[in-house]
Amino acid sequence: MRQITYAEALKEVMSQEIKANENVFILGEDIGIYGGAFGVTNGMESELGRDKVLSTPISEAAISGVAVGAALTGMRPILELQFSDFITIAMDQIVNQAAKLRYMNGGKGSIPMVVRTPGGSGAGFAAQHSQSLEAWMTHIPGLKVVQPSTPYDAKGLFKAALDDDNPVIFYEHKLLYGIRGEVPEETYSIPLGKADIKREGSDVTVVATSIMVHRALQAADQLKKEGISVEVIDPRTLVPLDIDTIVNSVKKTNRAVVVYEAVQRGGYGAEIASLINESEAFDYLDAPVTRLGGKAVPIPYNPNLEKKAVPQVEDIVNAVKSTLVTLAK
Amino acid sequence: MRQITYAEALKEVMSQEIKANENVFILGEDIGIYGGAFGVTNGMESELGRDKVLSTPISEAAISGVAVGAALTGMRPILELQFSDFITIAMDQIVNQAAKLRYMNGGKGSIPMVVRTPGGSGAGFAAQHSQSLEAWMTHIPGLKVVQPSTPYDAKGLFKAALDDDNPVIFYEHKLLYGIRGEVPEETYSIPLGKADIKREGSDVTVVATSIMVHRALQAADQLKKEGISVEVIDPRTLVPLDIDTIVNSVKKTNRAVVVYEAVQRGGYGAEIASLINESEAFDYLDAPVTRLGGKAVPIPYNPNLEKKAVPQVEDIVNAVKSTLVTLAK
Amino acid sequence: MKTSCANYISEIGRDRLKDMLYQMLLIRRFEETVERLFMQGKIHGTMHLCIGQEPTAVGACAALTNEDKITSTHRGHGHCIAKGTDVPRMMAELLGKKTGHCKGKGGSMHIADLEKGNLGANGIVAGGLPIACGAALTSLKKQAGFVVVCFFGDGATNEGSFHESLNLASIWNLPVIFFCENNQYGMSGNIKEMTKIEHLSERASSYGIPGEIVDGTDVLQVYEVTAKAVERARNGEGPTLIEAKTYRWKGHSRSDARKYRAREEEQDWMNNKDGIKSFREQLLRDRAVTEQEVIEIEERVKQLLEEATEFAENSPEPSIESLEADVYA
Amino acid sequence: MKTSCANYISEIGRDRLKDMLYQMLLIRRFEETVERLFMQGKIHGTMHLCIGQEPTAVGACAALTNEDKITSTHRGHGHCIAKGTDVPRMMAELLGKKTGHCKGKGGSMHIADLEKGNLGANGIVAGGLPIACGAALTSLKKQAGFVVVCFFGDGATNEGSFHESLNLASIWNLPVIFFCENNQYGMSGNIKEMTKIEHLSERASSYGIPGEIVDGTDVLQVYEVTAKAVERARNGEGPTLIEAKTYRWKGHSRSDARKYRAREEEQDWMNNKDGIKSFREQLLRDRAVTEQEVIEIEERVKQLLEEATEFAENSPEPSIESLEADVYA
Ligand SMILES: Cc1ncc(C[n+]2csc(CCOP(=O)(O)OP(=O)(O)O)c2C)c(N)n1
Ligand SMILES: Cc1ncc(C[n+]2csc(CCOP(=O)(O)OP(=O)(O)O)c2C)c(N)n1
Ligand SMILES: [Mg+2]
Ligand SMILES: [Mg+2]
C-alpha cells in the first residue's frame, strides 16, 4: 500500500470529509496559504476555498467558542489550535462550554467538534510550546481524548472523531508529523475506545501513547536481543479507554509499564496504572505497575536537557528491566 | 481556644500578613465592600484600604497576569479567583507564565504569589461553578497545590503559601467556609508537604482531601460502631505531597482508600494511588488500593443528583467495607 | 421622554404591543415568584433576578423571528421568556425537576431551549459571546438567514472574550447583535470604576462596527434599535453593538446586601424609570390598550404563574439513574 | 520625511545618537549572525528575527532608564539588545549554553534579564501584557518611579489579554506604555484582514487613553513619542498605546515561505524604508557622525558579534543535573 506521512494522512481525511459533508469546515490560525505551523493544512485553502478553510485572528478563546456555537447549530467544525499549549487560552470554551452544554441542556443538542492540536517536546521550542497536557482533558466529563501514534491511526481515528456527536480533543505530536506509514486512500473509521496491540509479547506489557509507542517499539527490539519479550499496547484513545485490552495483556504478562511523555505527576498514566491495579489483573501482578512519564520540569530549551526531560528509548529499556527484576510477591 | 470559621481564619491571616509586610496585597473581583462571593474578604477593604484590597474588573486573564508581573518585581500578591472554575480563563498566566518563568529564566527572579480559589460542589451552583480542578495544577511543574480542610490548617497553610517564593494554588471549598474550629490568634505556619493524620486507626487507611476529610471522619465514626478502625490522612498539600506519611500508614493497615471530590478519572487520587502502589507499601497491600472520586458527569443542578455526583459519607463507608472484604492475595 | 407608541400601533399592531406588555409583566411576576419560592426554600443554589430589566429582554426579542437565536446570561430568565420559552417548564427547571427544560440538570444559570432559538444562559461572564459568533457563522454557512442576539452585561465587556468576539464578528461580517445590558454594576463593581469611558458602546469603534445607545427602560426604543441592527445583520452588513442603559432593582444574587450602591439611586430607578409602568401608561394614553385589557393581562400572567408553580412543584424529581445520562465521555 | 536629528544633537547629544545607530546595527548584525548559525545547525528550535524593526526597539528603549522595565515577545532579540542585555550571553542562550542568560533553559523565546529591567520575552502572543501591568502596579505600590514598556505585535491586539490589560491599566492609571510593533502580519495573517480598522492605535479610545501612531522606521520619532508617553506615565497620567508602523524583512520564523505577501512589498520596505540606512544618512547629513565614525561603529559591532559567537560556541553545555534545578514544585 502507498505510504504517506502522519500530516498527509490528516490533511487527506480532512479534505475528504469537507468534500463529503457540507457541514464540515476547518478554522484556525494561519491554516490558509501558510498551511499551518506544521504544514498540515498545506494546500487546503486553495483546493477547498476560504469558505471551508477559515484563517482566524490570534484569538484562541473566540475561535474555540465559534466552534462550539457552530457545532451547536448544526455544523461539524474542525478547530486547529496551533500548539496544544495555547489551549490554556481556550479552556473556558472547551471545558465549561463544549464539554458541558449537552449535559446542562438535559441532553438536547449536540456539539460535534474536533479540536486538533499538536503536543509534545523534542523540537526545541522550549517551555511554552512543548507541553503534553492531554491529562487535563481526560479529567473533564464530556470530552473524548484521542492520541494517534501512526499515520494509519491518525486518519481512521480522525474520521471517527469527526463522526462523533460530541467534542473530541485530538492530540497530534510535532515529531510524528513527518513519519510515514501505509494509509488507504479511501476513508475508514477506527472506533474510539479500541486499543491496538502494536506488538505482541509475553514477558511484560508496555502501555505507551503517542510518540512513546514508537520509542516503546524500539525498546522492545532492543530487549528482544536480550531475550525479553515485550507486548506494546497503544490505547489510541484515552477517553474512552479500552482498559480490557490492557488488563488482558497484563494478566498474560504479569507486569506492566505505562509510558507517557506528559509530566508523570498527575498525568494520565496514573489513571491507567490505577485502573490496572483496581482490575482483576491486580492478582496477576508480579511487580508493581511502573509508570514512566516526564520529569517535573518545564521543557528546557537545550536539546540535551530537553531529551532528558521525557522518556527516551533507553529509559523504557531500563524501566522494563527493573520491573522484571522485581521479586514476585 | 477560641473557635472561628474557615473563612474567618483566612481573612485573619491575610489581614495579619498585609499589615506585617508592605509587599503583600490582595486583588480580585468584588473583594472590596462586597466582601467577595463567599464573604472571605468581608471588611478588609475598610480596614486596610483600597490600596491593599484591589477590586478588579471581570478580567481573569489580566488579573492573574498582574499577580505574576507584580510578584516578579518584588510584591507578594494574593489573587482571589471568585470560583475555581474561572481558572479556565486564567490558565495561560498561571500555567505558561507563573509556573515556568523562574525556570525559563535559569532560576533568576521569583514569583511569590498565592492564588486563592474555591472549588467544590454541594451549593447548587451547577456545572460551571462547582468543579474541582486541582488535578490540573498538580500536573504543572512549578506550581504548589494546597487544599486545607480545617480552619486551623487554612490559616497555617496560607501563611506558608504566602511565605513561599513560588506560585501556590490554594484551593478552598465553598462548603467549608462556614465550618468552625480552634485557631490561634497569632500567625503560624504549617509547612507545605506535611500530611496530617486526622484520625488514627489500624484496619484501613483513608486518604482524603478537602471536604472529603470531614466525610471520611464521619464514615470512620460509623465504621467504628461496626468494629472497623479507620486511619484518616489529610495530605493537606498535593504538591509537594507527603507520601511517606501515607505509605507508613498503609504499611500498618495494609489497605488504602483514596477519597476525593474531583472527577475520579484523571484526578489526583490516581497519582496518590499510583504512588502507594509503586512504594514499598505494595508488598503490604491486602487489597488493591481503592479510589473513590466523583462521577464522570458535569455537576448537575438538582440537589439529589448533585449529591450523587460526588462521594458522600455512605459511599466512603461502603468503599472501606468493600476493600476489607477483598481477599488477601 | 419615552418613545411614543402611536406610530407603532400601525407599524407592528396593537396585539404585539399588548404582547410586549404581557411579556414584561410575565417576567416581573416570574421573578417575584422565583424570589418567593427561593425564600421558602423551594429553590436552592442561587438566582439572578432581572427585575427592572424587562424592557431590554422584551424589546430586543420582539425584533426577532422564531428562527433567530439568542445567547443569554446568568441573569437570563427574562431573555428566556421573551424568546418564547415555556414558562411552566422553566419553573420546573428552577425547582430542579425532571420536567424542566434541562431535566433539572441545568438550573437557573443554564436554561436553554434550542427549539425556540435560545442557545442557553451561561454561568461564565462573557462565555456566550464566542458561541453567538459561532451560531452566526452557521447562519452564513448554511445561508439560513437567521440572526443571533447575544446578551451580556456591562461587566462582561471587560472580559477578553468580548474583545475577541467583536473583532471576529466584524471581520467576518457575522449576523450577530451584541446586546449589552448595562445595568451599571457587575456583581458589585460600578462600571464607571471598571472602565474609563463614558459609554460602553464606544468600544464598537475598535472593531469598525456601529455602536448604539438606547434607553433600556423604553421597550419601544429597544425594539426599534434592535430591529435596525437585525436588518443590517440580515442584509450582510455585519454586527452591531447595542448598549442599553438599565438597572437591576434587586441584588446581584440572593446573598447581596447591596452595600456598593445608594438606596436613593435604587429608589430613583424604581420610582421614575420603571419600564413596565411607563409602557403601560403610554399604551393607555395612546389608546393601544384599555384599562380592562390591562387587568386581563395581569390576570393571564397570574394564572400562568400559578399553573407554572403548581406544575413545577408537582413534577417529579429526576431519577438518580439520569445522573449519568446525557454525557458521552 | 524622517524626523531631522539636528534638534536632537543638542537635546540628547551626539553620543546617544551614535549609540542608537550602534544599537540598531548591532541588532541587525546579531540577527544575521543568528540566521547563519541557524543554517549551520548550531542553533536549533526556531527563531523569529526582527530585521527591519530595529528602530522600534532602539527608539523606545532610548526613552528609558536602566530602572525602567520592558516586557518583550517571541521576536525579542532587538528589545533585549536595546535594553542593554549582554550580547555574548544572549548568543550563548540561543546556542543553549550554560553561560546563557537563562542557563540554556529558555532559548530565543524566553530571554530575560531582570537586572537590566528586561522582564522577559514571551512565547505566548499577548502573554506579556498582563505581566507588564503587574510590574507597573509594583512601581505604583512601591513608589519606585519606574515605567514599563510592553512590546507586542499587531497580531497580539486581537487577543483577549490585550483588551483586559489596556482596560486595567487605564482604570488604575498604571505607568505602562503599550508599544505595538505593527509589522502588518501575524505569522501569516494580514492585519488588514484580521481587523476592520485602519489603525490599531484607534483601540486606545476604548479605554479612554491616548493612542499614537509613529513611523516605526524612524528611530527618532519612535524615541520622541515614547519619551512623551514615558513622561505621562511617570507623572501618574497613566498608560498610552503606541502603534509603530513597521515591517519584518524576514519570514515569521525559519520555516516561512512568505506566500502570504508580495515580493514587491518586501522590496519596497527593504529598499525604501530601511530605518538604519536612513538614520545613518541623516546623522551624516546633520554632521552628527563622520564617515569614519560609522566605519568604527560597524567595526565595533562586528567585533562584539565575533566575540559573542566565539564565547557562545566555546561555552559548555548545561550539566544534565541542572535539568531539575530552578523548579520548586
Ligand atoms: C468568568 C466569570 N467571572 C466572574 C463570574 C462571577 N460573576 C457572575 S455574574 C458577575 C457580574 C456580571 O456583571 P454583568 O456582566 O454586568 O452582568 P449583570 O450581573 O449585571 O447582569 C460576576 C462577576 C462569572 N460568573 N464568570
Ligand atoms: C497565544 C498564541 N497564539 C498563537 C501563537 C503562535 N504565534 C507565534 S507568533 C504569531 C504571530 C504573532 O503576530 P504579531 O503579534 O503581529 O507579532 P510578530 O510575529 O509580527 O512580531 C503566532 C500566531 C502563539 N505563540 N501564542
Ligand atoms: Mg451589570
Ligand atoms: Mg506582526
Side-chain angles (χ1 to χ4, degrees):
Chain A
M1 203 189 293
R2 114 204 129 118
Q3 296 218 342
I4 59 175
T5 66
Y6 187 93
E8 286 161 353
L10 286 165
K11 175 163 65 178
E12 184 170 272
V13 64
M14 286 195 287
S15 300
Q16 286 170 330
E17 292 297 306
I18 288 173
K19 284 179 203 155
N21 182 341
E22 61 175 17
N23 294 329
V24 179
F25 67 97
I26 174 167
L27 77 167
E29 294 163 12
D30 308 291
I31 62 169
I33 196 168
Y34 196 94
F38 296 95
V40 177
T41 60
N42 221 339
M44 282 178 69
E45 181 186 277
S46 57
E47 191 195 343
L48 302 163
R50 290 187 129 197
D51 235 39
K52 298 292 181 185
V53 181
L54 279 73
S55 283
T56 72
I58 313 176
S59 306
E60 287 80 8
I63 64 180
S64 53
V66 161
V68 176
L72 185 60
T73 48
M75 307 297 291
R76 304 187 87 83
I78 306 164
L79 172 67
E80 176 172 306
L81 275 181
Q82 208 165 66
F83 282 78
S84 75
D85 313 71
F86 309 158
I87 212 165
T88 47
I89 308 180
M91 289 294 267
D92 169 49
Q93 288 295 330
I94 292 174
V95 170
N96 292 331
Q97 315 293 342
K100 298 182 174 43
L101 280 178
R102 192 170 186 173
Y103 187 86
M104 293 192 304
N105 291 354
K108 274 177 297 173
S110 61
I111 317 278
M113 63 185 263
V114 181
V115 181
R116 288 184 38 241
T117 192
S121 63
F125 294 154
Q128 294 177 333
H129 285 73
S130 305
Q131 292 169 91
S132 300
L133 298 173
E134 67 280 356
W136 284 357
M137 300 295 134
T138 66
H139 192 42
I140 303 303
L143 298 179
K144 300 188 179 181
V145 184
V146 180
Q147 258 191 322
S149 67
T150 67
Y152 179 86
D153 286 352
K155 182 166 180 179
L157 290 167
F158 184 85
K159 169 88 173 112
L162 194 64
D163 286 344
D164 202 288
D165 276 343
N166 300 287
V168 179
I169 317 297
F170 194 90
Y171 277 97
E172 302 167 6
H173 196 291
K174 297 171 192 84
L175 298 189
L176 290 179
Y177 282 129
I179 64 157
R180 303 180 77 78
E182 294 194 343
V183 178
E185 275 176 54
E186 67 282 6
T187 60
Y188 55 92
S189 187
I190 298 175
L192 306 184
K194 250 204 94 14
D196 190 34
I197 301 177
K198 289 277 194 266
R199 175 189 181 117
E200 297 204 1
S202 54
D203 294 332
V204 57
T205 300
V206 171
V207 181
T209 51
S210 191
I211 196 162
M212 292 301 153
V213 173
H214 301 270
R215 296 194 187 148
L217 289 169
Q218 285 178 55
D221 277 342
Q222 284 187 29
L223 287 159
K224 192 176 171 195
K225 292 181 200 138
E226 305 185 35
I228 299 167
S229 167
V230 176
E231 178 143 308
V232 177
I233 298 185
D234 176 0
R236 299 199 288 202
T237 66
L238 304 185
V239 180
L241 180 71
D242 180 2
I243 188 65
D244 292 347
T245 297
I246 296 169
V247 165
N248 287 335
S249 173
V250 177
K251 281 164 67 180
K252 179 177 76 176
T253 64
N254 311 118
R255 293 179 150 87
V257 178
V258 182
V259 187
Y260 51 116
E261 177 172 1
V263 172
Q264 178 166 318
R265 182 179 77 206
Y268 197 66
E271 179 69 27
I272 296 176
S274 294
L275 289 172
I276 296 171
N277 280 310
E278 289 159 5
S279 76
E280 56 189 42
F282 182 72
D283 289 330
Y284 293 76
L285 284 176
D286 285 339
V289 179
T290 301
R291 288 181 299 156
L292 178 62
K295 295 248 168 35
V297 300
I299 299 293
Y301 170 65
N302 174 282
N304 304 327
L305 297 186
E306 186 181 20
K307 275 218 182 84
K308 282 285 170 188
V310 304
Q312 302 296 331
V313 176
E314 65 268 26
D315 300 314
I316 303 175
V317 167
N318 292 337
V320 167
K321 286 186 184 171
S322 307
T323 205
L324 282 165
V325 300
T326 307
L327 284 180
K329 274 214 241 187
Chain B
M1 202 188 294
R2 114 206 128 118
Q3 296 219 341
I4 60 175
T5 68
Y6 186 92
E8 285 161 354
L10 286 165
K11 176 164 65 178
E12 182 170 275
V13 63
M14 287 195 287
S15 301
Q16 287 169 329
E17 291 298 306
I18 287 173
K19 283 180 205 154
N21 182 341
E22 62 175 15
N23 293 329
V24 179
F25 68 97
I26 175 167
L27 76 169
E29 295 162 12
D30 307 292
I31 62 169
I33 197 169
Y34 196 94
F38 296 95
V40 178
T41 60
N42 222 339
M44 281 178 69
E45 180 186 276
S46 56
E47 190 195 345
L48 301 163
R50 290 188 131 199
D51 234 39
K52 298 293 181 185
V53 181
L54 278 74
S55 282
T56 73
I58 313 177
S59 305
E60 288 80 8
I63 63 179
S64 52
V66 161
V68 176
L72 186 60
T73 48
M75 306 297 291
R76 304 187 87 84
I78 306 165
L79 171 67
E80 176 171 306
L81 274 180
Q82 208 164 65
F83 282 77
S84 74
D85 313 71
F86 309 158
I87 212 165
T88 48
I89 308 180
M91 289 294 267
D92 169 49
Q93 288 296 331
I94 292 174
V95 170
N96 292 331
Q97 315 293 343
K100 297 182 175 42
L101 280 178
R102 191 170 186 174
Y103 187 85
M104 295 192 304
N105 291 353
K108 274 176 298 176
S110 62
I111 317 279
M113 62 185 265
V114 182
V115 181
R116 288 183 39 240
T117 191
S121 63
F125 294 154
Q128 294 177 333
H129 285 73
S130 305
Q131 294 170 87
S132 301
L133 297 172
E134 66 281 355
W136 284 357
M137 300 295 136
T138 66
H139 193 40
I140 304 303
L143 298 179
K144 301 188 179 182
V145 184
V146 179
Q147 258 191 320
S149 67
T150 66
Y152 179 85
D153 287 352
K155 182 165 180 180
L157 290 167
F158 184 84
K159 168 88 172 113
L162 194 64
D163 286 344
D164 202 289
D165 276 343
N166 300 286
V168 179
I169 317 297
F170 194 91
Y171 277 98
E172 302 167 7
H173 195 292
K174 298 172 192 80
L175 297 190
L176 291 180
Y177 282 128
I179 63 157
R180 303 181 77 80
E182 294 193 345
V183 178
E185 273 176 59
E186 67 283 5
T187 60
Y188 55 93
S189 187
I190 298 175
L192 307 184
K194 249 201 99 14
D196 189 35
I197 301 177
K198 290 278 195 264
R199 175 190 181 115
E200 297 204 1
S202 53
D203 294 332
V204 56
T205 300
V206 171
V207 181
T209 51
S210 190
I211 195 160
M212 292 301 153
V213 172
H214 301 270
R215 296 195 186 146
L217 289 170
Q218 285 179 55
D221 277 343
Q222 285 188 28
L223 287 159
K224 189 171 177 202
K225 293 179 201 141
E226 304 186 35
I228 299 167
S229 166
V230 176
E231 177 142 310
V232 177
I233 298 184
D234 176 0
R236 297 199 290 201
T237 66
L238 304 184
V239 179
L241 180 70
D242 179 2
I243 187 66
D244 292 347
T245 297
I246 297 169
V247 166
N248 286 336
S249 173
V250 178
K251 280 164 70 181
K252 178 177 77 176
T253 64
N254 311 117
R255 289 171 209 274
V257 178
V258 182
V259 188
Y260 51 116
E261 176 171 1
V263 172
Q264 178 166 318
R265 183 180 78 208
Y268 197 66
E271 178 69 28
I272 296 176
S274 294
L275 289 172
I276 296 171
N277 280 309
E278 289 159 6
S279 76
E280 56 190 44
F282 182 72
D283 289 330
Y284 293 76
L285 285 175
D286 286 340
V289 179
T290 300
R291 288 180 299 156
L292 178 63
K295 294 247 168 35
V297 299
I299 299 294
Y301 170 66
N302 174 281
N304 304 327
L305 297 185
E306 186 182 20
K307 275 219 181 82
K308 281 284 170 189
V310 304
Q312 302 296 331
V313 175
E314 64 269 25
D315 300 314
I316 302 175
V317 167
N318 291 336
V320 167
K321 286 187 183 168
S322 306
T323 204
L324 282 165
V325 300
T326 308
L327 283 179
K329 274 216 242 188
Chain C
M1 252 317 278
K2 297 279 154 182
T3 315
S4 153
C5 60
N7 308 342
Y8 287 91
I9 298 177
S10 53
E11 192 187 313
I12 64 172
R14 245 175 246 277
D15 283 353
R16 286 192 57 199
L17 291 174
K18 266 164 54 182
D19 199 46
M20 284 159 99
L21 180 64
Y22 167 74
Q23 284 191 29
M24 289 201 289
L25 269 167
L26 181 57
I27 293 170
R28 178 156 306 173
R29 302 286 174 255
F30 181 88
E31 297 293 59
E32 289 165 355
T33 310
V34 167
E35 193 173 29
R36 184 165 42 78
L37 291 169
F38 200 94
M39 296 307 169
Q40 293 171 354
K42 289 178 179 165
I43 295 181
H44 80 309
T46 188
M47 48 154 198
H48 306 91
L49 303 177
C50 71
I51 294 181
Q53 303 183 193
E54 301 88 350
T56 47
V58 171
C61 290
L64 303 181
T65 70
N66 195 50
E67 279 62 49
D68 293 327
K69 313 219 177 292
I70 64 166
T71 60
S72 170
T73 69
H74 58 284
R75 198 174 304 287
H77 303 163
H79 310 142
C80 279
I81 291 174
K83 195 68 178 66
T85 291
D86 183 62
V87 170
R89 292 181 58 212
M90 269 182 76
M91 195 64 90
E93 187 59 36
L94 296 187
L95 270 71
K97 296 301 180 72
K98 183 179 175 168
T99 54
H101 269 290
C102 308
K103 300 186 195 156
K105 288 178 170 173
S108 166
M109 279 193 284
H110 305 294
I111 299 181
D113 184 357
L114 301 181
E115 290 98 58
K116 297 287 183 184
N118 178 354
L119 301 180
N122 211 308
I124 302 296
V125 167
L129 281 86
I131 296 174
C133 290
L137 183 64
T138 297
S139 179
L140 288 191
K141 291 219 162 295
K142 290 189 179 273
Q143 300 185 294
F146 66 78
V147 306
V148 186
V149 168
C150 170
F151 290 104
F152 53 92
D154 48 291
T157 64
N158 292 326
E159 284 280 9
S161 283
F162 166 87
H163 176 68
E164 296 188 9
S165 298
L166 268 74
N167 184 61
L168 203 69
S170 106
I171 62 168
W172 287 352
N173 261 324
L174 296 179
V176 55
I177 291 94
F178 295 103
F179 196 107
C180 177
E181 292 176 294
N182 180 357
N183 63 9
Q184 333 264 348
Y185 297 90
M187 186 175 293
S188 69
N190 186 327
I191 189 65
K192 296 268 186 251
E193 290 175 25
M194 294 301 159
T195 62
K196 230 185 188 169
I197 54 178
E198 181 66 20
H199 304 293
L200 297 170
S201 58
E202 294 169 32
R203 291 195 164 161
S205 70
S206 278
Y207 316 102
I209 64 171
E212 305 279 351
I213 300 176
V214 307
D215 175 353
T217 68
D218 182 344
V219 68
L220 291 174
Q221 203 187 116
V222 171
Y223 165 77
E224 191 172 297
V225 172
T226 309
K228 224 186 299 170
V230 166
E231 205 187 316
R232 287 190 69 247
R234 266 202 241 286
N235 288 342
E237 293 167 64
T240 304
L241 171 61
I242 298 175
E243 177 192 7
K245 310 277 190 184
T246 182
Y247 203 77
R248 63 165 156 75
W249 292 11
K250 299 282 174 168
H252 167 72
S253 65
R254 46 152 195 173
S255 54
D256 177 2
R258 310 188 324 283
K259 289 190 236 165
Y260 48 85
R261 66 188 196 188
R263 293 297 156 271
E264 295 72 37
E265 181 183 280
E266 294 179 350
Q267 288 303 323
D268 180 42
W269 280 88
M270 295 195 287
N271 295 336
N272 308 321
K273 299 172 197 162
D274 178 349
I276 296 182
K277 185 160 163 268
S278 58
F279 187 54
R280 183 173 42 209
E281 283 165 7
Q282 273 175 266
L283 288 178
L284 289 169
R285 197 174 52 230
D286 295 344
R287 313 258 159 107
V289 294
T290 63
E291 295 274 6
Q292 181 56 31
E293 283 174 319
V294 171
I295 292 166
E296 279 166 25
I297 286 174
E298 293 260 19
E299 194 50 39
R300 268 171 61 213
V301 166
K302 197 166 152 235
Q303 273 192 10
L304 177 54
L305 287 171
E306 274 165 15
E307 265 171 47
T309 309
E310 208 183 297
F311 172 77
E313 296 204 46
N314 295 334
S315 285
E317 298 279 328
S319 70
I320 293 300
E321 293 71 53
S322 74
L323 172 64
E324 294 182 77
D326 305 323
V327 63
Y328 297 86
Chain D
M1 250 320 277
K2 297 280 154 180
T3 316
S4 154
C5 58
N7 308 342
Y8 287 91
I9 298 176
S10 53
E11 191 187 314
I12 64 173
R14 244 176 245 278
D15 283 353
R16 284 190 61 196
L17 292 173
K18 265 163 56 181
D19 198 48
M20 285 159 99
L21 180 64
Y22 167 75
Q23 284 191 27
M24 288 202 288
L25 268 167
L26 181 57
I27 292 170
R28 179 156 307 171
R29 302 287 174 254
F30 182 88
E31 297 293 60
E32 288 166 356
T33 310
V34 167
E35 193 173 28
R36 185 165 42 77
L37 292 169
F38 200 93
M39 295 306 168
Q40 293 170 355
K42 289 178 180 164
I43 295 182
H44 80 309
T46 189
M47 48 155 199
H48 306 91
L49 303 177
C50 70
I51 294 181
Q53 302 183 194
E54 301 87 353
T56 46
V58 171
C61 291
L64 302 182
T65 70
N66 194 51
E67 279 62 49
D68 292 329
K69 313 218 177 294
I70 64 166
T71 61
S72 169
T73 68
H74 59 283
R75 199 175 305 288
H77 303 163
H79 309 142
C80 280
I81 291 174
K83 196 66 178 62
T85 291
D86 183 62
V87 171
R89 293 180 58 210
M90 268 182 76
M91 194 64 89
E93 187 59 35
L94 295 187
L95 269 70
K97 296 302 180 70
K98 182 178 174 170
T99 53
H101 269 291
C102 308
K103 301 188 195 155
K105 287 178 171 173
S108 166
M109 278 194 286
H110 306 295
I111 299 182
D113 184 356
L114 301 181
E115 290 98 58
K116 297 287 183 183
N118 177 354
L119 300 180
N122 212 308
I124 302 296
V125 168
L129 281 86
I131 297 174
C133 292
L137 183 63
T138 297
S139 179
L140 287 191
K141 291 219 164 295
K142 290 190 180 274
Q143 299 185 296
F146 66 78
V147 306
V148 186
V149 168
C150 170
F151 290 104
F152 53 90
D154 48 290
T157 64
N158 292 326
E159 284 280 9
S161 284
F162 166 88
H163 176 67
E164 296 188 10
S165 299
L166 268 74
N167 184 61
L168 204 67
S170 107
I171 61 168
W172 286 352
N173 263 323
L174 296 179
V176 55
I177 291 95
F178 295 103
F179 195 106
C180 177
E181 292 176 294
N182 180 357
N183 62 9
Q184 332 266 345
Y185 297 91
M187 186 175 292
S188 68
N190 186 327
I191 189 65
K192 297 266 184 253
E193 290 175 25
M194 294 301 158
T195 62
K196 231 186 186 167
I197 53 177
E198 181 67 20
H199 305 292
L200 297 170
S201 57
E202 294 169 33
R203 290 193 166 164
S205 70
S206 278
Y207 315 103
I209 64 171
E212 305 279 353
I213 300 175
V214 307
D215 176 354
T217 69
D218 183 343
V219 67
L220 290 175
Q221 203 184 116
V222 171
Y223 165 78
E224 190 172 298
V225 172
T226 310
K228 223 185 299 170
V230 166
E231 203 186 317
R232 287 190 69 247
R234 267 202 240 287
N235 289 342
E237 292 168 62
T240 304
L241 171 61
I242 298 175
E243 177 192 9
K245 310 277 191 185
T246 182
Y247 203 77
R248 66 164 153 75
W249 292 10
K250 299 283 175 170
H252 168 71
S253 65
R254 45 151 194 174
S255 54
D256 177 1
R258 310 185 329 279
K259 288 191 236 165
Y260 49 85
R261 68 188 195 188
R263 293 297 158 270
E264 294 72 39
E265 181 183 279
E266 293 179 350
Q267 287 303 323
D268 180 41
W269 280 87
M270 295 196 286
N271 295 336
N272 308 320
K273 298 173 198 161
D274 178 350
I276 297 184
K277 187 160 162 268
S278 58
F279 188 53
R280 184 173 42 207
E281 283 165 8
Q282 273 175 265
L283 288 179
L284 288 169
R285 198 174 50 231
D286 294 344
R287 311 259 160 110
V289 293
T290 64
E291 295 275 4
Q292 182 55 32
E293 282 173 316
V294 171
I295 292 168
E296 280 165 23
I297 287 173
E298 293 262 16
E299 193 50 39
R300 268 170 60 212
V301 165
K302 200 169 148 229
Q303 272 191 10
L304 177 54
L305 288 171
E306 273 165 16
E307 263 170 50
T309 309
E310 207 182 298
F311 172 77
E313 295 205 45
N314 294 334
S315 285
E317 299 278 327
S319 70
I320 293 302
E321 293 71 54
S322 75
L323 173 64
E324 294 183 77
D326 306 323
V327 62
Y328 298 85

